[in-house]
């Protein structure tokens, strides 16, 4: 007789009963079945009557929806149109491209319309519908995989005032968030409850993301500011207040604000909030966050709910019942939005004996991307492919320069110095990489099929070397590697060949002076340069000469770039 298992067997993605209930309203049981009629990009945008083409595609394929008649779906669609036009006002005024929803973003907003309409109209009926779905899910499941129903004897709305969106990085969570704010305000207004809302608060995991959200709210024409605990007085509630979740406390402190200073009737937006769930659903961050929306409402957004709830039954139960929309990475990748990638890890023997050849191969891989982009830029333009960027990311997130990060950065810089100064040796290694490969201890050629484009360009190894100087290092005639501390750009160190050529790289580091001093001690040419502006903040601009970025993983929090095409990880994930 088999033993009863005490461990959950059903994957979290199959437990999302709220999402399953929404899908059932469309008479489908999987997201794929709902999406299959909407994936055509020709359906994006509005028709001549300002109705989304997605609406027509849905109602044409899914007619006789008893729970969602065409008139109701059209009403929801027109709400989405109104909110989208509001979000595009600022963009169009500035001459920016307007937001045009992808099918999955439209569905996320449509699901929100359906939920909020029922939440405000009849929360008790909504609770009963979700409980019916929980009962359907629980049938035949072992106890470890059962979900607890909501409490039908208690007031409904406090059990229904949290929604989660599980959406892959890059799928437009922030745009959906902006629309969700307008959707919630709309339904407050419809039901005469606008005066009930105290504040709109966005919780983020770190200052970098707070700054990024501030910029994005500005682009959307939504009033927002970084939270100031000295308060706005009469103007409280007029703007979205952005606050790192780490600054919430039970009591007022020098760097923290007490939760009860906010009251509980707030609209709370949470970006990657599960970072505060490490101690389970009763952890201090989670309870403080919940207190903020006790009498209000919460929207939460994350790309990694599946990882966050793993091994945490209470969190699994919670998010199974409040995850409204699932467009996690498997759907994102399946739709062709994810990245195909190649990972080359060195075994110890190969690293010890062939590190220089491997680094040359990495350089050539990036150069191949650069050359392909240069040769085919006009063909790539419709696909919005950006100029390639090579980044090295270290493991430390401290403000000062960690010893390990410093040694990693120095190793990379010394490699570049050797590459540009040892012409004969570099040409020899280029020839080896392109024409002979590198055998690992198991006899596998690490570089097989990695340089198809370069191998068909008809360039000799010497010509490749000369082109890397011009294309990657911005120095057609070559020159010595200079490491320069930029006075006026805090935490930035420029890399250039020769004194007069444009910087080809920038190091973003907490302690720039210490790093430059260590470079000097290692025999690298160093100096200082007066510089107004920032190489780092110009990287995403079309005119940026920077091809290489080096730093700790701290700079990636709140930083976003479409340019990254080659990445070196320095002792990350060991």
């Amino acid at each position: 007789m088999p033993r009863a298992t005490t461990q959950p067997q059903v994957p979290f993605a199959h437990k999302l009963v709220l999402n399953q209930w929404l899908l059932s309203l469309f008479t489908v049981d999987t997201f794929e079945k709902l999406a299959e009629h909407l994936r055509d990009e020709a359906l994006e945008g509005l028709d001549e009557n300002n109705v989304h083409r997605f609406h027509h595609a849905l109602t044409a394929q899914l007619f006789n929806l008893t729970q969602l008649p065409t008139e109701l779906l059209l009403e929801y669609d027109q709400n989405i149109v109104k909110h989208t036009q509001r979000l595009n006002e600022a963009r169009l005024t500035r001459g920016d491209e307007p937001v045009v929803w992808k099918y999955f973003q439209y569905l996320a907003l449509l699901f929100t319309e359906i939920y909020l309409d029922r939440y405000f109209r009849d929360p008790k009926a909504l609770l009963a519908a979700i409980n019916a779905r929980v009962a359907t899910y629980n049938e035949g499941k072992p106890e470890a995989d059962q979900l607890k129903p909501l409490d039908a004897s208690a007031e409904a709305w406090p059990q229904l005032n949290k929604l989660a969106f599980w959406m892959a990085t890059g799928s437009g969570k922030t745009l959906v968030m902006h629309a969700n704010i307008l959707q919630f305000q709309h339904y407050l207004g419809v039901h005469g409850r606008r005066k009930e809302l105290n504040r709109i608060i966005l919780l983020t995991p770190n200052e970098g993301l707070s700054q990024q959200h501030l910029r994005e709210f500005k682009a959307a024409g939504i009033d927002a500011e970084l939270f100031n605990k000295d308060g706005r007085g009469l103007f409280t509630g007029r703007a979205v207040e952005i606050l790192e979740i780490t600054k919430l406390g039970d009591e007022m402190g020098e760097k923290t604000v007490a939760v009860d200073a906010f009251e509980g009737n707030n609209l709370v937006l949470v970006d990657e909030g599960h970072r505060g769930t490490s101690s389970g659903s009763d952890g201090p961050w989670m309870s403080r966050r919940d207190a903020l929306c006790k009498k209000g409402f919460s929207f939460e957004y994350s790309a990694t709910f599946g990882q966050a709830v793993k091994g945490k039954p209470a969190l699994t139960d919670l998010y199974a019942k409040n995850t409204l929309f699932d467009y996690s990475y498997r759907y994102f990748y399946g739709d062709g939005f994810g990245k195909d990638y190649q990972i080359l890890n060195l075994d110890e023997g190969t690293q010890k004996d062939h590190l220089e050849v491997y680094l040359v191969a990495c350089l050539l891989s990036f150069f191949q991307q650069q050359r392909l982009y240069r040769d085919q830029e006009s063909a790539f333009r419709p696909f919005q492919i950006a100029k390639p960027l090579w980044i090295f990311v270290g493991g430390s997130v401290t403000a000062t320069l960690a010893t390990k990060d410093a040694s990693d950065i120095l190793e990379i810089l010394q490699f570049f110095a050797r590459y540009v100064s040892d012409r004969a040796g570099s040409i020899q290694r280029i020839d080896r990489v392109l024409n002979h490969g590198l055998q690992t201890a198991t006899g596998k050629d690490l570089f097989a099929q990695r340089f198809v484009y370069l191998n068909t360009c008809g360039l000799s190894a010497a010509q490749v070397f000369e082109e890397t100087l011009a294309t990657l290092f911005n120095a057609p005639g070559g020159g010595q590697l200079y490491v320069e501390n930029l006075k006026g750009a805090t935490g930035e160190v420029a890399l250039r060949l020769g004194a007069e050529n444009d910087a080809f790289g920038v190091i973003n580091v907490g302690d720039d002076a210490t790093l430059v001093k260590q470079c000097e001690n290692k025999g690298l040419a160093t100096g200082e340069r007066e510089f107004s502006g920032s190489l780092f903040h110009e990287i995403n601009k079309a005119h940026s000469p920077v091809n290489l970025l080096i730093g700790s993983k701290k700079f990636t929090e709140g930083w976003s770039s479409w340019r990254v095409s080659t990445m070196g990880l320095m002792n990350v994930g060991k």
Side-chain angles (χ1 to χ4, degrees):
M1 185 175 177
R3 285 190 308 174
T5 178
T6 56
Q7 293 298 315
Q9 302 298 306
V10 179
F12 175 65
H14 295 167
K15 293 184 174 180
L16 307 179
V17 289
L18 177 59
N19 180 251
Q20 291 166 9
W21 171 69
L22 259 298
L23 290 171
S24 74
L25 299 182
F26 292 90
T27 66
V28 297
D29 55 4
T30 66
F31 177 75
E32 288 92 341
K33 289 178 183 174
L34 187 58
E36 66 179 323
H37 306 298
L38 304 176
R39 285 196 170 100
D40 185 352
E41 289 186 357
L43 295 173
E44 293 174 8
L46 306 175
D47 69 6
E48 64 278 7
N49 297 314
N50 265 13
V51 177
H52 280 98
R53 296 187 189 93
F54 292 133
H55 166 76
H56 297 306
L58 272 175
T59 53
Q61 297 293 335
L62 303 167
F63 44 86
N64 294 330
L65 295 178
T66 54
Q67 301 255 15
L68 296 170
T70 300
E71 306 78 45
L72 184 59
L73 285 174
L74 181 60
E75 184 182 321
Y76 294 149
D77 177 83
Q78 290 304 285
N79 288 341
I80 296 170
V81 169
K82 179 180 69 173
H83 303 320
T84 309
Q85 289 172 336
R86 159 72 178 80
L87 292 174
N88 281 333
E89 284 171 9
R91 288 181 169 84
L92 292 170
T93 302
R94 286 197 314 272
D96 292 346
E97 287 292 315
V99 172
V100 178
W101 302 111
K102 296 291 182 187
Y103 84 88
F104 51 88
Q105 297 164 338
Y106 180 81
L107 287 177
L109 300 181
L110 183 57
F111 280 25
T112 307
E113 285 287 323
I114 295 165
Y115 188 92
L116 290 179
D117 185 19
R118 296 181 184 221
Y119 172 81
F120 279 96
R121 251 191 315 112
D122 193 346
K124 197 166 183 179
L126 177 59
L127 184 143
I130 295 169
N131 269 352
R133 192 71 211 182
V134 171
T136 301
Y137 163 82
N138 282 341
E139 285 175 14
K141 300 285 192 311
E143 189 176 338
D145 279 308
Q146 298 257 332
L147 297 173
K148 296 174 189 167
L150 298 168
D151 187 351
S153 64
E155 197 167 9
W157 71 264
Q159 301 179 71
L160 303 170
N161 68 344
K162 297 180 187 67
L163 289 181
F165 292 77
W166 187 6
M167 297 179 71
T169 300
S171 64
K173 294 191 296 291
T174 303
L175 293 175
V176 170
M177 176 198 293
H178 294 169
N180 288 158
I181 294 171
L182 302 182
Q183 287 177 299
F184 187 77
Q185 290 175 323
H186 166 79
Y187 280 101
L188 278 177
V190 167
H191 293 271
R193 294 172 56 180
R194 270 191 180 267
K195 290 183 178 177
E196 293 179 19
L197 186 64
N198 183 30
R199 286 171 133 124
I200 303 175
I201 301 165
L202 168 59
L203 299 177
T204 73
N206 56 65
E207 291 180 10
L209 274 173
S210 293
Q211 291 287 349
Q212 184 174 321
H213 277 292
L214 189 63
R215 293 191 295 271
E216 287 167 344
F217 277 126
K218 183 179 180 183
I222 295 175
D223 288 336
E225 63 181 17
L226 300 179
F227 174 76
N228 175 3
K229 67 180 180 182
D230 293 333
R232 291 168 58 90
L234 292 172
F235 300 102
T236 296
R238 300 274 182 89
V240 179
E241 297 173 85
I242 306 169
L243 173 69
E244 292 81 60
I245 201 164
T246 50
K247 292 180 181 175
L248 282 177
D250 295 324
E251 298 176 3
M252 282 292 189
E254 188 179 335
K255 294 185 177 180
T256 58
V257 58
V259 171
D260 57 13
F262 292 98
E263 302 179 25
N265 52 338
N266 307 296
L267 173 59
V268 180
L269 312 160
V270 189
D271 184 13
E272 299 293 351
H274 62 268
R275 297 200 190 178
T277 64
S278 56
S279 51
S281 59
D282 297 323
W285 286 1
M286 200 76 164
S287 58
R288 290 167 191 155
R289 189 201 77 182
D290 290 350
L292 288 179
C293 65
K294 190 173 183 180
K295 297 176 184 175
F297 201 87
S298 171
F299 291 104
E300 184 171 353
Y301 311 85
S302 175
T304 53
F305 279 126
Q307 294 92 315
V309 305
K310 199 167 185 178
K312 298 169 186 165
L315 280 182
T316 299
D317 192 77
L318 176 72
Y319 283 109
K321 288 179 293 203
N322 67 18
T323 299
L324 181 79
F325 193 70
D326 174 14
Y327 190 71
S328 46
Y329 191 76
R330 61 188 175 128
Y331 298 121
F332 186 71
Y333 183 84
D335 279 341
F337 296 115
K339 290 189 176 182
D340 287 314
Y341 53 85
Q342 298 172 321
I343 296 176
L344 291 183
N345 283 325
L346 291 185
D347 56 49
E348 282 189 26
T350 311
Q351 178 160 331
K352 178 167 164 278
D353 301 327
H354 304 293
L355 182 59
E356 196 78 2
V357 176
Y358 178 84
L359 289 172
V360 168
C362 191
L363 183 150
L364 291 176
S365 179
F366 176 63
F367 169 67
Q368 178 173 247
Q369 293 170 337
Q370 282 190 310
R371 199 175 198 279
L372 185 59
Y373 177 79
R374 187 191 72 195
D375 293 349
Q376 305 287 339
E377 183 178 357
S378 59
F380 291 154
R381 197 168 291 129
F383 301 97
Q384 298 184 307
I385 292 175
K387 180 186 174 187
L389 177 71
W390 187 5
I391 72 171
F392 281 94
V393 185
S396 172
V397 293
T398 55
T400 55
L401 184 65
T403 305
K404 187 63 200 165
D405 270 1
S407 64
D408 287 335
I409 292 170
L410 284 167
E411 190 168 351
I412 292 162
L413 297 184
Q414 287 172 308
F415 160 70
F416 285 127
R418 292 191 301 271
Y419 178 86
V420 298
S421 63
D422 181 11
R423 185 178 189 277
S426 294
I427 290 172
Q428 184 181 30
R429 282 181 277 274
I430 290 168
D431 178 66
R432 178 172 176 187
V433 169
L434 295 182
N435 300 317
H436 305 287
L438 176 60
Q439 301 292 321
T440 66
T442 59
K444 179 186 175 186
D445 179 7
L446 268 181
F447 307 141
Q449 300 299 307
R450 305 276 180 178
F451 299 102
V452 174
Y453 184 73
L454 272 188
N455 285 330
T456 58
C457 286
L459 299 175
S460 68
Q463 288 172 314
V464 170
F465 176 74
E466 299 300 337
E467 281 209 26
T468 60
L469 293 181
T471 307
L472 198 162
F473 295 101
N474 301 329
Q480 183 183 27
L481 177 69
Y482 277 91
V483 181
E484 292 180 335
N485 199 353
L486 297 180
K487 312 303 283 183
T490 305
E492 292 187 25
V493 177
L495 304 174
R496 74 179 77 241
L497 294 195
E500 301 307 318
N501 292 313
D502 284 338
F504 70 88
V506 60
I507 305 171
N508 185 289
V509 68
D511 193 345
D512 44 14
T514 298
L515 177 63
V516 173
K517 185 66 179 172
Q518 291 185 7
C519 289
E520 185 183 340
N521 294 340
K522 288 290 185 180
L524 295 171
T526 63
E528 292 183 346
R529 183 177 290 240
E530 292 298 328
F531 191 78
S532 59
S534 164
L535 285 176
F536 175 67
H537 292 302
E538 298 279 306
I539 278 176
N540 286 337
K541 296 193 174 172
H543 66 262
S544 172
V546 172
N547 297 312
L548 173 75
L549 170 63
I550 303 173
S552 73
K553 67 184 180 188
K554 184 174 179 61
F555 83 75
T556 66
E557 296 182 333
W559 180 71
S560 176
S561 176
W562 297 109
R563 289 187 57 194
V564 178
S565 60
T566 299
M567 185 183 299
L569 300 179
M570 308 179 295
N571 292 290
V572 173
K574 289 188 72 172

